[in-house]
Amino acid sequence: MKKTISAVALAAAVSFLSFRCGTSGKSTGSAAGDIINAKEAGRVISVLASDEMRGRKVFTPEIDKAADFIAAEFKAAGLETWNNSGSYLQSFAVYTPKQTALTATVDGAKMDPQQVFVITSKPALQADEKSGYEVVKIAAGANLFQKVNELVQNGKNAIAVADPSYASNFTRLGFLKRNMFKMDHNVIVLLAANTPQTFSISASHEVTEQRLSNVVGILPGKSKKDEYVIFSGHYDHIGVGRPVNGDSIYNGANDDAAGTTGVILLAKYFKQLKNNERTIVFAAFTAEESGGYGSRYFSKQFDPAKVMAMFNIEMIGTDSKWGKNSAYITGYERTDMGEILQKNLQGSGFTFHPDPYPDQQLFFRSDNATLAALGVPAHTISTAKMDAEPHYHKPSDHVSTLDMENMAMIIKSIAISSRSIVAGTDTPSRVNVNELNR
């Protein structure tokens, strides 16, 4: 059942549209109303979530088509390209190594290849105790996948000796070799009770390179050009899959054509205002659904100390659990960014709530996570009812299931709530990385 808007809420919404930005004298509300509206949101999302896009899966012609559409929208908005490259596409490569041969000798005895796992992007690897590998013990009871991933990320050659208790989960390490970034180091995991004194490991791989692209546009700041505010969403989805009621295209209208639509409309809004003191970066990420590779690559391009805030927008096409004119912010308690946003929305009737689904660990599951892990106040804004979202990752995630009027109001609210951060008069507190427990 849809909720109706009370007279009080309607009056607040009218007041909302009369908000003025204290730094420019321009009416931010009227600018939002001109650009951010249900008709324009519907135009953009209907292209991104059309059957012609076939679910925007990575490594398909259709996701390239979606990227070109977003780039054209950024160009029409008048954004600049990243690093003046002349292209809105931020392209990068991922690598998939397929192991073709492996031999391992530890303390003079040959090891079963099933007890050795090699993570590398090199076609050939040779390693022994004289190769300078750091030896790390992974004791029983630890998080095997987290520990190995930390070794992958730290950039050093390493031998990890995993306790035999991990035998049943050992092969699951394979997910770390799917679509990986190019590595200048190697990580070898041995399933063994004792730390080896000598070892000799040889591995061969066929390495496949594939290209991916984020879509990034820039609105340079005025007085604080070297300080960045990021608005982002992911434009990939899961493509074509198992048919449900004869429909096999997983259109991903809410997840996350809705967020990408928000980014495009915000780009046009801020370009029209022309009053941002900080540089604004608008990013549509690829490969969120398959490992977050787009946002991970994007994050490497920044000094995190210069990123003042990140507004990641994910699944805003349906009403939140509180109804209309509301959304939630993941990791709300980790910075004071939510309080700043709510202050800027005072009198609007719109409310940002803390994440009501803490058990889902949403703060760590979307494209805000990489920068948040570096201390950036990077949060995801969403309305998705994660305990009862009927179309999540289903072919029924169509534009027709979304509320365009409410979605436009959410995007307007993001625009208005961010005004003091964009203006440089408010700076959110940083994430305390020592308190992050995954």
Side-chain angles (χ1 to χ4, degrees), residues 93 122 266 405 432:
K122 300 179 177 67
L266 287 165
E405 293 287 349
N432 186 340

Side-chain angles (χ1 to χ4, degrees), residues 12 19 34 40 148 154 158 181 190 230 256 258 272 277 287 289 300 309 313 317 356 382 400 428:
F19 272 145
D34 290 343
E40 179 67 356
V148 174
N154 75 8
F181 293 121
L190 306 178
I230 297 168
D256 187 31
Q272 179 167 308
E277 298 299 323
E289 299 285 2
K300 293 177 184 292
I313 309 170
S382 182
S400 61

Side-chain angles (χ1 to χ4, degrees), residues 124 132 202 208 219 228 282 300 303 316 331 346 355 366 381 396 428:
S202 175
T208 302
L219 195 57
Y228 300 95
F282 302 94
K300 293 177 184 292
D303 174 355
I316 56 168
Q346 187 174 359
D355 178 6
S366 193
I381 296 171
S396 56

Side-chain angles (χ1 to χ4, degrees), residues 46 66 115 132 171 189 213 216 227 232 258 276 283 306 318 326 357 362 378:
S46 293
Q115 296 179 318
T171 57
V189 188
S213 295
V216 181
E227 297 182 0
S232 64
N276 53 297
K306 294 183 178 181
T318 57
S326 62
Y357 311 106
L362 299 178

